[in-house]
Amino acid sequence: MQRRTTPQRWRIAAAAAVALATGTTSLAALTGTASAAGETVTVQYRTGAGSATADQSEPWLKVRNTGTVPVQLSTVKVRYYFKADSAAAGYRFACSWAVKGCANITGTFGTLAHPTATADRYLDIGFTAGAGSLAPGSDTGDMQLRFHRTDWQPLKQSDDYSFSATRTTYADWPKVTAQVSGSTVWGTAPEGNDPTDPPTDPPTDPPAGGQTLFDDFNYTSSSDPRISANGWSVRANSGGPGVPGATWAPENVTFAASGGNSVMNLRTSTAGTAASTKHTEVLTKATKFKNGTYAARVRFSDAPVSGPDGDRVVQTFFTINDLKAPMADDYAEYDFEYLPNGGWGEPANILYTTSWETYNPDPWQAVNQHTESRQSYAGWHDLVLTIDNSSIKYYVDGQLFGTHDAAYLPERPMSINFNQWLIDLAGQTSTTPRAYDEQIDYVLHVKDQVLTPAQVTAKLNAYRTSGTTFEDTVPNP
């Protein structure tokens, strides 16, 4: 993770060019049924950037309640479909202005399961509870949204499914879909990609068997001999990522009871100098984890437990192996990274999930795919990552957060890691001591089995009901 010391972390180097085919897709009849009687919406669209090629795409949207009962906007998800300009292109979402307030609007990118000539990615627009509700007959008003490539290369919009250069005033636009509480109520997706309702009764019984690592982090201190015996290393060696000259402090890894369970606490502290900065990391000694399911319950925090706020802190759960040479194609890394105070060019809190193919530390180049959401994630969250032979999927609190392509699947096994560190000392320049906490309730890996979030919960409950606090049957490669 040394490469993350550079502010150009998200600059993408394309691994290969892909041919962009153009074509048309006829509109079928509107799909889906309302999630509840009288609860439905329509989407109006206009473009703020009508050129076939532009620095950024500007889908301006309005959501209108055409039903007979109020609709909570937090239950609404709007999906805009587009064609990526290259296989390695990354994208960032932004809100320029909105009647409902940009702070109440989220944007998350994903990959379509069935790519077409005009769409292989999508942008999901969601709403926080602060957006409120829509009365029957009312709409959200303007949402002036935009997205751009992370490397700021021009966007080709002419082959994007949801784009129309002629839509310069708001009008109903069924090439943007909308869901209410998971049910599609508006629009037609690119062929073969209709958003589907979640299962009414998703399976909760995990499949039998499966070699497993489970740890409830039921330890006394960072020097507890069971930590090493159970295959964990509490980092003490120097080096990146983070503030050059900072130390990695085993004594800042502690354990305590919370909610009836033992939790691991990672504390990162600083007084504004490299010498006073202490990072924390706990990782498996073995690199033996590859396909299957990874899960953890993690408590992110937006504010320090003491001292002034503002440091560019990174709170994580990830898997990784070593980079054997610059741009080596057998490198792999899969991250949940929460930045409560922004960083890497972001001004405020953001959650990233990132799948890495490779990188070159100097000069900086990276080949990855990421999904992000710009909102607070303070508090406990259930994080699930699944890897099979076709895709990588990230879930947050039972909901699909991002799907990444087969091009980023791992070639070699990895370790499992948690760490918390500061990108730099520029976010808060005070010399007053301050400290930030990230907590971990448990970690689970099931080799070669893709579990649903509900099955992960069932497996966790079974361990706790039986009183099992640790198990590791995953063989070394």
Side-chain angles (χ1 to χ4, degrees):
M1 298 180 66
Q2 175 65 37
R3 65 207 182 284
R4 289 194 176 87
T5 58
T6 170
Q8 293 179 301
R9 176 183 187 270
W10 295 107
R11 182 159 58 88
I12 306 299
V18 295
L20 294 177
T22 58
T24 59
T25 303
S26 61
L27 281 177
L30 299 184
T31 61
T33 57
S35 60
E39 194 175 51
T40 188
V41 299
T42 60
V43 180
Q44 293 187 327
Y45 161 83
R46 60 157 293 190
T47 179
S51 301
T53 301
D55 289 339
Q56 56 188 351
S57 181
E58 297 185 54
W60 292 10
L61 304 172
K62 290 183 181 180
V63 177
R64 182 174 182 82
N65 181 358
T66 54
T68 58
V69 297
V71 174
Q72 291 294 325
L73 280 170
S74 60
T75 67
V76 175
K77 182 169 289 185
V78 176
R79 181 167 289 186
Y80 180 94
Y81 302 88
F82 65 99
K83 180 80 172 180
D85 294 311
S86 79
Y91 295 87
R92 284 182 178 168
F93 165 79
C95 172
S96 297
W97 186 82
V99 173
K100 288 292 183 179
C102 283
N104 294 315
I105 297 172
T106 64
T108 303
F109 294 99
T111 302
L112 289 179
H114 304 288
T116 71
T118 59
D120 55 12
R121 305 277 183 94
Y122 59 82
L123 169 63
D124 271 346
I125 303 300
F127 301 87
T128 69
S133 63
L134 287 181
S138 67
D139 63 49
T140 59
D142 265 349
M143 294 189 293
Q144 297 182 9
L145 312 177
R146 56 190 172 88
F147 65 92
H148 61 85
R149 284 181 55 156
T150 54
D151 57 7
W152 278 107
Q153 292 299 305
L155 285 171
K156 182 182 179 183
Q157 299 192 97
S158 57
D159 60 352
D160 291 350
Y161 177 84
S162 295
F163 171 75
S164 174
T166 63
R167 297 273 174 162
T168 56
T169 58
Y170 281 111
D172 287 354
W173 188 235
K175 284 194 171 185
V176 175
T177 59
Q179 293 181 297
V180 178
S181 300
S183 295
T184 303
V185 297
W186 172 259
T188 304
E191 186 176 358
N193 291 281
D194 288 335
T196 55
D197 296 350
T200 303
D201 297 304
T204 56
D205 292 333
Q211 296 158 318
T212 302
L213 167 69
F214 170 74
D215 202 328
D216 220 3
F217 295 116
N218 190 15
Y219 303 109
T220 58
S221 70
S222 62
S223 59
D224 189 327
R226 294 177 299 158
I227 295 177
S228 180
N230 288 346
W232 295 99
S233 175
V234 182
R235 184 174 176 182
N237 60 296
S238 62
V243 176
T247 58
W248 294 82
E251 68 275 13
N252 279 11
V253 178
T254 59
F255 301 86
S258 175
N261 300 311
S262 175
V263 299
M264 178 170 65
N265 191 81
L266 307 183
R267 175 161 294 183
T268 292
S269 58
T270 188
T273 65
S276 66
T277 302
K278 295 182 177 181
H279 298 152
T280 43
E281 182 168 23
V282 175
L283 65 155
T284 60
K285 292 184 285 186
T287 53
K288 62 178 182 178
F289 308 97
K290 194 180 175 189
N291 286 15
T293 300
Y294 301 80
R297 181 171 294 141
V298 178
R299 184 179 183 273
F300 297 128
S301 57
D302 280 353
V305 292
S306 62
D309 196 5
D311 289 289
R312 294 166 180 165
V313 63
V314 183
Q315 302 169 350
T316 75
F317 165 43
F318 65 101
T319 70
I320 193 171
N321 60 29
D322 58 322
L323 182 73
K324 293 186 176 296
M327 302 301 284
D329 61 6
D330 62 350
Y331 176 75
E333 180 182 347
Y334 306 94
D335 302 330
F336 288 92
E337 292 175 308
Y338 181 54
L339 282 61
N341 292 318
W344 297 320
E346 293 291 334
N349 39 29
I350 183 169
L351 176 65
Y352 286 108
T353 60
T354 310
S355 301
W356 288 81
E357 171 61 19
T358 190
Y359 72 97
N360 184 7
D362 187 22
W364 177 250
Q365 291 182 319
V367 181
N368 61 28
Q369 185 176 351
H370 58 89
T371 303
E372 62 271 349
S373 179
R374 292 168 174 82
Q375 65 181 73
S376 172
Y377 280 86
W380 285 104
H381 295 283
D382 293 307
L383 309 179
V384 175
L385 160 69
T386 65
I387 303 173
D388 59 18
N389 291 322
S390 61
S391 65
I392 305 109
K393 294 185 178 181
Y394 297 86
Y395 298 84
V396 177
D397 298 328
Q399 300 299 310
L400 182 63
F401 186 89
T403 301
H404 295 172
D405 300 337
Y408 303 92
L409 292 172
E411 287 86 6
R412 290 189 291 122
M414 302 166 288
S415 63
I416 296 174
N417 300 245
F418 299 91
N419 66 18
Q420 185 182 215
W421 47 281
L422 303 183
I423 296 172
D424 53 39
L425 296 173
Q428 170 57 265
T429 59
S430 170
T431 57
T432 301
R434 58 267 190 191
Y436 299 83
D437 284 355
E438 175 189 358
Q439 294 182 325
I440 299 95
D441 182 16
Y442 77 91
V443 68
L444 172 72
H445 171 71
V446 182
K447 177 179 168 63
D448 295 331
Q449 287 187 358
V450 172
L451 304 185
T452 66
Q455 289 173 325
V456 167
T457 299
K459 198 165 184 70
L460 168 67
N461 291 340
Y463 277 120
R464 288 183 166 166
T465 299
S466 68
T468 302
T469 59
F470 177 81
E471 178 181 75
D472 186 4
T473 58
V474 180
N476 288 313

